[in-house]
Amino acid sequence: MEDRAITSTLSLSSQSALPEEDKSMLQILGGHSLSGEVSISGAKNSALVIMAGALLCSGDCRLRNVPSLIDVRRMGEILSALGVKLERQGNVLDINASQFEVTKAPYELVSQLRASFFIVGPMLARLGVARVPLPGGCAIGARPVDLHVRGLQAMGADVQIEHGTVHAHIKGGKKRLQGARIYLDCPSVGATETLMMAATLAEGETILENAAQEPEVTDLANFCRSMGANIQGAGTNTIVISGVPQLHSTDYPIIPDRIEAGTFLVAGAITRSEISLFPIVPDHLTAVVAKLKEIGVKVVLEAPDRMRVIPTQQHRATDIETMPFPGFPTDMQAQFMALLTLSDGNSIITETVFENRLRHVAELNRMGADIRVKGNIAIVRGVPLLSGAPVVATDLRASAALVLAGLAANGTTTIQGLHHLDRGYDNLEGKLKGLGAKLERIKGDSTEAIALLSPAPVG
Ligand code: EPU
């Protein structure tokens, strides 16, 4: 066991020796159609929170279908720094938190990954104390954690923020957090997950009202239940958790990534190509499929876990407003914007979840799109074609949108800022190549990239 732990710590840290600001670029030769089948990886946002959830249990947790992503590696490094043993083989990740005793998360690691704040709930529930640096804002918004903090306070924690770190401990010399009735001002995914994890080991019943209903919340609940937690109502807006004294070992498969699946559905639509996706959970894609149908794209369920996208030659405009699940996901807004730039008519896209998630507009406009922004609203006027251009990815989903635009554009698109893409898409280039896309990752600065440009293909 000891040897195994050393191996895993070494392998995790050596994997993470990736350049922070990766200088490589993705060069895409647009205008080629795609075909075939693509396999969808495990959900990033489930994997990250479930890894944190593994801190709740002192036995072995085996996670299956774990995607290969920089964010997952970073979460692994954070857990290692807390004394947790991890070993990864392919998409199976074994986590053993029996030696988890460290109550302070290291700033250098936490600051690289917002999702690292998820450890605060399990740390407090298991050790009675937690010191976790605030994650800070990011490219898409300020992203406060006030709802996480207020919920933990309601459960009997003393929480102070000093010098940029959240210091929390269970009040009154008690060993366990206390169940509470907590109303969330907005259905925050992260706050619901933090409080659900904390409540699994609390004394008594916790009721989370106006809880997030995202599939990743349900996945976390199912993971905790597989360890013996008592959770009812996950997937609705009221979740009831009856605390238990401890949780046990588990072997748990992570759900397929609905945002990766949605991105490939748009890849089919924007390149006018038929693509089959497997595995998927249709209920997780309802809003995305509804919008695709509205603009004229057919989506067929070939099997309960397999979907085929069948595009038409001309798409219609539509309006989109991002909403918490089951509404249209903010994580698909940028990719749909790329699609709507090439659809007939005017589309209005309203981003309601994050305050700064329209930064891809300027980059899409560089490629010939016609988009104007007013506050949190983007007005997209459909154009007949996009033209390849050098562009910069500003965040994870923005980078996916640029890849999609590049696949459809006339000529070559060169995308910088790939560290965003690598954070959250498992082998996107390999999967697109498997479908016939013409794209290559190249090293060096933009001068080298431009020298490599090939003549624009037609069709
Ligand atoms: N909010 C608060 N206070 C809080 C928590 C949230 O005001 O204490 C606000 C946020 O600022 C935001 C809104 O509530 O305006 C929604 O935030 P939420 O907490 O739901 O989002 P999150 O937990 O920070 C997760 C995903 C995001 C995804 C959102 C919404 C993870 C690791 N991240 O973030 O994923 O966009 O839910 O579905 O689960 C991505 O994958 O690209 C991504 C950004």
Side-chain angles (χ1 to χ4, degrees):
M1 196 63 187
E2 221 27 65
D3 287 351
R4 185 179 119 165
I6 291 165
T7 321
S8 69
T9 310
L10 287 176
S11 66
L12 279 165
S13 42
S14 62
Q15 281 175 333
S16 75
L18 290 160
E20 207 35 60
E21 290 295 320
D22 194 347
K23 290 258 161 46
S24 60
M25 286 174 271
L26 193 62
Q27 203 171 54
I28 304 173
L29 211 50
H32 291 275
S33 54
L34 312 177
S35 65
E37 178 181 306
V38 64
S39 69
I40 303 302
S41 299
K44 167 180 83 85
N45 289 343
S46 278
L48 292 174
V49 70
I50 286 176
M51 286 172 76
L55 293 173
L56 291 164
C57 158
S58 56
D60 288 316
C61 287
R62 170 161 287 191
L63 305 182
R64 297 178 191 273
N65 204 26
V66 178
S68 193
L69 304 171
I70 289 186
D71 274 7
V72 166
R73 286 179 201 163
R74 286 188 175 144
M75 185 59 108
E77 284 166 10
I78 291 164
L79 298 186
S80 284
L82 301 178
V84 176
K85 296 169 185 166
L86 298 106
E87 188 174 295
R88 180 166 189 154
Q89 274 188 0
N91 61 9
V92 176
L93 179 64
D94 287 320
I95 305 180
N96 182 295
S98 57
Q99 309 292 315
F100 166 42
E101 283 166 3
V102 180
T103 56
K104 184 167 196 283
Y107 173 75
E108 317 74 68
L109 296 178
V110 169
S111 59
Q112 291 178 31
L113 176 68
R114 275 198 54 86
S116 58
F117 194 72
F118 286 138
I119 62 179
V120 75
M123 193 183 255
L124 189 58
R126 192 132 163 241
L127 307 178
V129 188
R131 284 173 295 162
V132 184
L134 282 168
C138 76
I140 59 175
R143 306 183 78 178
V145 291
D146 54 313
L147 299 176
H148 306 232
V149 168
R150 290 218 301 270
L152 293 173
Q153 285 169 334
M155 294 174 74
D158 179 88
V159 188
Q160 307 288 338
I161 300 175
E162 282 166 17
H163 308 294
T165 295
V166 172
H167 295 251
H169 68 267
I170 301 177
K171 279 195 295 199
K174 294 207 169 86
K175 286 218 157 19
R176 293 170 68 186
L177 287 164
Q178 304 298 302
R181 194 176 191 109
I182 300 166
Y183 172 82
L184 295 173
D185 287 348
C186 72
S188 154
V189 174
T192 303
E193 292 171 338
T194 289
L195 300 175
M196 188 199 293
M197 289 188 281
T200 58
L201 293 178
E203 214 171 318
E205 185 176 86
T206 298
I207 301 173
L208 299 178
E209 289 175 313
N210 199 27
Q213 303 176 46
E214 268 67 5
E216 295 75 21
V217 172
T218 309
D219 207 25
L220 173 67
N222 288 337
F223 165 72
C224 291
R225 289 167 63 174
S226 76
M227 298 190 295
N230 188 341
I231 303 174
Q232 308 293 327
T236 74
N237 63 4
T238 306
I239 305 178
V240 181
I241 307 119
S242 298
V244 294
Q246 59 184 33
L247 298 176
H248 55 70
S249 292
T250 187
D251 185 331
Y252 188 81
I254 284 164
I255 55 169
D257 195 312
R258 64 192 167 103
I259 306 300
E260 187 194 9
T263 303
F264 277 104
L265 288 175
V266 175
I270 203 168
T271 60
R272 310 291 193 269
S273 310
E274 281 198 24
I275 302 176
S276 197
L277 285 68
F278 169 87
I280 49 97
V281 181
D283 287 351
H284 296 175
L285 291 162
T286 307
V288 164
V289 168
K291 282 295 162 188
L292 283 172
K293 288 187 175 163
E294 227 170 88
I295 70 171
V297 179
K298 272 195 207 153
V299 180
V300 181
L301 203 56
E302 295 182 312
D305 55 0
R306 184 185 296 271
M307 225 172 226
R308 176 177 286 270
V309 54
I310 307 172
T312 46
Q313 271 320 302
Q314 202 47 53
H315 300 147
R316 296 181 290 272
T318 190
D319 295 339
I320 286 177
E321 189 164 335
T322 64
M323 292 281 179
F325 191 86
F328 187 90
T330 173
D331 292 345
M332 282 301 301
Q333 176 257 107
Q335 300 90 315
F336 259 74
M337 190 183 292
L339 179 59
L340 292 173
T341 63
L342 291 170
S343 302
D344 264 353
N346 297 341
S347 303
I348 297 176
I349 299 180
T350 310
E351 172 58 55
T352 73
V353 180
F354 290 108
E355 65 273 21
N356 190 22
R357 214 177 194 181
L358 293 171
R359 290 171 67 200
H360 39 278
V361 166
E363 300 305 303
L364 290 171
N365 282 346
R366 298 196 81 236
M367 299 178 70
D370 181 352
I371 312 169
R372 280 171 302 150
V373 173
K374 272 199 166 193
N376 65 336
I377 295 174
I379 300 148
V380 185
R381 286 193 184 145
V383 293
L385 51 90
L386 295 176
S387 59
V391 287
V392 179
T394 48
D395 71 67
L396 170 58
R397 307 304 172 186
S399 51
L402 295 176
V403 171
L404 295 169
L407 290 172
N410 213 338
T412 303
T413 297
T414 312
I415 306 176
Q416 293 187 48
L418 297 184
H419 55 285
H420 291 297
L421 199 65
D422 296 337
R423 274 189 42 222
Y425 282 92
D426 184 350
N427 188 24
L428 184 65
E429 286 144 72
K431 290 184 185 185
L432 284 171
K433 273 187 188 166
L435 295 171
K438 308 277 178 249
L439 73 175
E440 214 57 64
R441 193 176 281 235
I442 50 172
K443 297 275 170 211
D445 58 25
S446 52
T447 334
E448 278 175 54
I450 288 161
L452 286 169
L453 295 183
S454 322
V458 182

